[in-house]
PDB file of all heavy atoms in Angstrom:
ATOM      1  N   LEU A  10     157.528 146.457 -10.489  1.00  0.00           N
ATOM      2  CA  LEU A  10     158.436 147.221  -9.631  1.00  0.00           C
ATOM      3  C   LEU A  10     157.651 148.079  -8.643  1.00  0.00           C
ATOM      4  O   LEU A  10     157.976 148.146  -7.461  1.00  0.00           O
ATOM      5  CB  LEU A  10     159.338 148.106 -10.494  1.00  0.00           C
ATOM      6  CG  LEU A  10     160.373 148.959  -9.758  1.00  0.00           C
ATOM      7  CD1 LEU A  10     161.302 148.072  -8.941  1.00  0.00           C
ATOM      8  CD2 LEU A  10     161.154 149.797 -10.748  1.00  0.00           C
ATOM      9  N   HIS A  11     156.563 148.717  -9.136  1.00  0.00           N
ATOM     10  CA  HIS A  11     155.755 149.561  -8.253  1.00  0.00           C
ATOM     11  C   HIS A  11     155.167 148.742  -7.101  1.00  0.00           C
ATOM     12  O   HIS A  11     155.280 149.106  -5.936  1.00  0.00           O
ATOM     13  CB  HIS A  11     154.635 150.211  -9.051  1.00  0.00           C
ATOM     14  CG  HIS A  11     153.625 150.913  -8.193  1.00  0.00           C
ATOM     15  ND1 HIS A  11     153.942 152.001  -7.422  1.00  0.00           N
ATOM     16  CD2 HIS A  11     152.303 150.666  -7.984  1.00  0.00           C
ATOM     17  CE1 HIS A  11     152.874 152.408  -6.767  1.00  0.00           C
ATOM     18  NE2 HIS A  11     151.868 151.608  -7.094  1.00  0.00           N
ATOM     19  N   CYS A  12     154.557 147.593  -7.446  1.00  0.00           N
ATOM     20  CA  CYS A  12     153.940 146.759  -6.404  1.00  0.00           C
ATOM     21  C   CYS A  12     154.983 146.229  -5.436  1.00  0.00           C
ATOM     22  O   CYS A  12     154.791 146.235  -4.226  1.00  0.00           O
ATOM     23  CB  CYS A  12     153.188 145.600  -7.040  1.00  0.00           C
ATOM     24  SG  CYS A  12     151.755 146.137  -8.001  1.00  0.00           S
ATOM     25  N   THR A  13     156.137 145.779  -5.993  1.00  0.00           N
ATOM     26  CA  THR A  13     157.169 145.214  -5.123  1.00  0.00           C
ATOM     27  C   THR A  13     157.722 146.263  -4.178  1.00  0.00           C
ATOM     28  O   THR A  13     157.903 146.001  -2.991  1.00  0.00           O
ATOM     29  CB  THR A  13     158.329 144.657  -5.962  1.00  0.00           C
ATOM     30  OG1 THR A  13     157.849 144.140  -7.163  1.00  0.00           O
ATOM     31  CG2 THR A  13     159.041 143.578  -5.234  1.00  0.00           C
ATOM     32  N   LEU A  14     157.979 147.453  -4.728  1.00  0.00           N
ATOM     33  CA  LEU A  14     158.553 148.501  -3.883  1.00  0.00           C
ATOM     34  C   LEU A  14     157.559 148.950  -2.826  1.00  0.00           C
ATOM     35  O   LEU A  14     157.920 149.169  -1.671  1.00  0.00           O
ATOM     36  CB  LEU A  14     158.983 149.696  -4.742  1.00  0.00           C
ATOM     37  CG  LEU A  14     160.235 149.465  -5.592  1.00  0.00           C
ATOM     38  CD1 LEU A  14     160.444 150.644  -6.521  1.00  0.00           C
ATOM     39  CD2 LEU A  14     161.463 149.257  -4.715  1.00  0.00           C
ATOM     40  N   PHE A  15     156.280 149.081  -3.222  1.00  0.00           N
ATOM     41  CA  PHE A  15     155.293 149.519  -2.237  1.00  0.00           C
ATOM     42  C   PHE A  15     155.142 148.496  -1.124  1.00  0.00           C
ATOM     43  O   PHE A  15     155.122 148.832   0.050  1.00  0.00           O
ATOM     44  CB  PHE A  15     153.938 149.772  -2.886  1.00  0.00           C
ATOM     45  CG  PHE A  15     152.924 150.248  -1.893  1.00  0.00           C
ATOM     46  CD1 PHE A  15     152.919 151.572  -1.484  1.00  0.00           C
ATOM     47  CD2 PHE A  15     152.008 149.381  -1.324  1.00  0.00           C
ATOM     48  CE1 PHE A  15     152.013 152.015  -0.543  1.00  0.00           C
ATOM     49  CE2 PHE A  15     151.103 149.825  -0.383  1.00  0.00           C
ATOM     50  CZ  PHE A  15     151.098 151.144  -0.001  1.00  0.00           C
ATOM     51  N   LEU A  16     155.066 147.230  -1.493  1.00  0.00           N
ATOM     52  CA  LEU A  16     154.936 146.193  -0.475  1.00  0.00           C
ATOM     53  C   LEU A  16     156.173 146.130   0.402  1.00  0.00           C
ATOM     54  O   LEU A  16     156.095 145.908   1.606  1.00  0.00           O
ATOM     55  CB  LEU A  16     154.681 144.838  -1.144  1.00  0.00           C
ATOM     56  CG  LEU A  16     153.291 144.691  -1.797  1.00  0.00           C
ATOM     57  CD1 LEU A  16     153.231 143.396  -2.591  1.00  0.00           C
ATOM     58  CD2 LEU A  16     152.193 144.738  -0.749  1.00  0.00           C
ATOM     59  N   ALA A  17     157.332 146.377  -0.204  1.00  0.00           N
ATOM     60  CA  ALA A  17     158.568 146.362   0.581  1.00  0.00           C
ATOM     61  C   ALA A  17     158.560 147.479   1.606  1.00  0.00           C
ATOM     62  O   ALA A  17     158.915 147.286   2.773  1.00  0.00           O
ATOM     63  CB  ALA A  17     159.771 146.502  -0.344  1.00  0.00           C
ATOM     64  N   VAL A  18     158.123 148.671   1.170  1.00  0.00           N
ATOM     65  CA  VAL A  18     158.065 149.793   2.106  1.00  0.00           C
ATOM     66  C   VAL A  18     157.052 149.517   3.203  1.00  0.00           C
ATOM     67  O   VAL A  18     157.300 149.743   4.384  1.00  0.00           O
ATOM     68  CB  VAL A  18     157.714 151.095   1.346  1.00  0.00           C
ATOM     69  CG1 VAL A  18     157.471 152.221   2.329  1.00  0.00           C
ATOM     70  CG2 VAL A  18     158.841 151.465   0.395  1.00  0.00           C
ATOM     71  N   ALA A  19     155.880 149.001   2.825  1.00  0.00           N
ATOM     72  CA  ALA A  19     154.842 148.712   3.827  1.00  0.00           C
ATOM     73  C   ALA A  19     155.316 147.641   4.800  1.00  0.00           C
ATOM     74  O   ALA A  19     155.105 147.748   6.012  1.00  0.00           O
ATOM     75  CB  ALA A  19     153.562 148.268   3.125  1.00  0.00           C
ATOM     76  N   SER A  20     155.973 146.596   4.277  1.00  0.00           N
ATOM     77  CA  SER A  20     156.455 145.531   5.155  1.00  0.00           C
ATOM     78  C   SER A  20     157.537 146.053   6.080  1.00  0.00           C
ATOM     79  O   SER A  20     157.590 145.717   7.261  1.00  0.00           O
ATOM     80  CB  SER A  20     157.001 144.374   4.314  1.00  0.00           C
ATOM     81  OG  SER A  20     155.974 143.849   3.501  1.00  0.00           O
ATOM     82  N   GLN A  21     158.394 146.913   5.527  1.00  0.00           N
ATOM     83  CA  GLN A  21     159.453 147.479   6.358  1.00  0.00           C
ATOM     84  C   GLN A  21     158.849 148.302   7.485  1.00  0.00           C
ATOM     85  O   GLN A  21     159.304 148.243   8.624  1.00  0.00           O
ATOM     86  CB  GLN A  21     160.370 148.360   5.506  1.00  0.00           C
ATOM     87  CG  GLN A  21     161.475 149.037   6.315  1.00  0.00           C
ATOM     88  CD  GLN A  21     162.278 150.016   5.463  1.00  0.00           C
ATOM     89  OE1 GLN A  21     161.992 150.177   4.285  1.00  0.00           O
ATOM     90  NE2 GLN A  21     163.254 150.640   6.055  1.00  0.00           N
ATOM     91  N   ALA A  22     157.791 149.086   7.139  1.00  0.00           N
ATOM     92  CA  ALA A  22     157.156 149.913   8.173  1.00  0.00           C
ATOM     93  C   ALA A  22     156.552 149.048   9.266  1.00  0.00           C
ATOM     94  O   ALA A  22     156.605 149.383  10.440  1.00  0.00           O
ATOM     95  CB  ALA A  22     156.074 150.792   7.540  1.00  0.00           C
TER      96      ALA A  22
END
Side-chain angles (χ1 to χ4, degrees):
L10 181 59
H11 171 64
C12 294
T13 326
L14 287 173
F15 181 79
L16 290 172
V18 172
S20 299
Q21 178 186 0

